Amino acid sequence: LTKKNTNTNGNNNNSKLDDSTVITKSPIKLLHRLSNLKKLNLFKHLSEKTLEIIAKNMTKRRYMQDEVIVREGTVGDSFYLISKGRVQVSVKDKVLRDLDSGSCFGEIALLIPDSKRTATVKAIDEKVICYVMCKDEFDKLIVDTNIKEYMKKKISLQDTSIELNDLY
């Protein structure tokens, strides 16, 4: 890690982060991100080229213990892939589950405009590292509407809310 130069023009092989650090993109870390994306149900059937584009353009962010990463009810604009550490997912202050390295959250924010976060996610380990993809960046990189429609279908399969009237 190196400190960000305030007059960096962005035309190098490094990624600028919100927390004033620059991450040099190493091929090993890129392969690790690519491998984790392939394991996720949402990304499992995307082409190698598409996954590589996503993996290359994710930025690394650090969160400290008890830091809220996303808050329930706010508009989502980013997808998170946990690289290191554990996070806690809660709805209305009720803990639902913990997620750890290799897990993701926030995927709906990439595909559905102005979607509200359905849960609060906070870091529970001393240091949590996530790779993040913002919706604006995702939209610039993935212009194929077929890919986005496929991903929307995959997300809709995650809806497990079943009403008695839904059964026959």
Side-chain angles (χ1 to χ4, degrees):
L1 292 177
T2 57
K3 281 292 185 190
K4 179 169 76 175
N5 185 344
T6 54
N7 55 3
T8 300
N9 64 10
N11 295 331
N12 57 28
N13 289 334
N14 296 330
S15 296
K16 291 186 265 181
L17 300 175
D18 296 339
D19 65 354
S20 301
T21 56
V22 173
I23 305 298
T24 303
K25 294 185 176 181
S26 92
I28 293 171
K29 289 183 180 179
L30 177 63
L31 285 173
H32 180 69
R33 266 192 313 263
L34 193 56
S35 170
N36 281 334
L37 286 172
K38 286 179 182 179
K39 292 175 189 172
L40 299 173
N41 200 28
L42 179 64
F43 296 101
K44 193 179 280 186
H45 299 291
L46 295 181
S47 72
E48 185 82 17
K49 181 181 175 185
T50 301
L51 288 172
E52 192 172 319
I53 289 169
I54 293 169
K56 281 182 178 177
N57 288 281
M58 295 180 93
T59 56
K60 185 177 182 179
R61 293 199 186 144
R62 292 182 181 182
Y63 301 93
M64 302 312 287
Q65 190 171 22
D66 294 326
E67 185 175 351
V68 174
I69 301 169
V70 299
R71 189 169 306 280
E72 181 179 5
T74 60
V75 175
D77 66 349
S78 300
F79 161 76
Y80 299 80
L81 175 63
I82 303 168
S83 176
K84 180 181 178 183
R86 290 180 318 130
V87 300
Q88 183 179 75
V89 180
S90 61
V91 174
K92 297 179 183 166
D93 296 323
K94 180 183 177 195
V95 176
L96 297 180
R97 67 183 167 276
D98 292 351
L99 300 174
D100 58 5
S101 180
S103 299
C104 71
F105 57 95
E107 59 273 17
I108 292 172
L110 294 180
L111 301 165
I112 301 173
D114 300 321
S115 60
K116 300 274 187 184
R117 298 286 186 191
T118 58
T120 296
V121 179
K122 73 175 185 177
I124 55 176
D125 282 349
E126 235 175 79
K127 181 170 48 169
V128 173
I129 297 174
C130 294
Y131 285 99
V132 183
M133 170 66 67
C134 295
K135 180 177 179 20
D136 292 341
E137 187 72 17
F138 180 78
D139 287 342
K140 286 180 201 171
L141 297 169
I142 310 299
V143 292
D144 185 343
T145 55
N146 291 329
I147 291 173
K148 290 181 180 178
E149 285 305 312
Y150 166 80
M151 292 176 77
K152 282 181 184 179
K153 281 185 179 180
K154 290 296 246 181
I155 286 175
S156 71
L157 294 174
Q158 295 175 5
D159 183 7
T160 59
S161 60
I162 299 174
E163 299 292 325
L164 190 57
N165 293 338
D166 296 335
L167 303 174
Y168 61 94

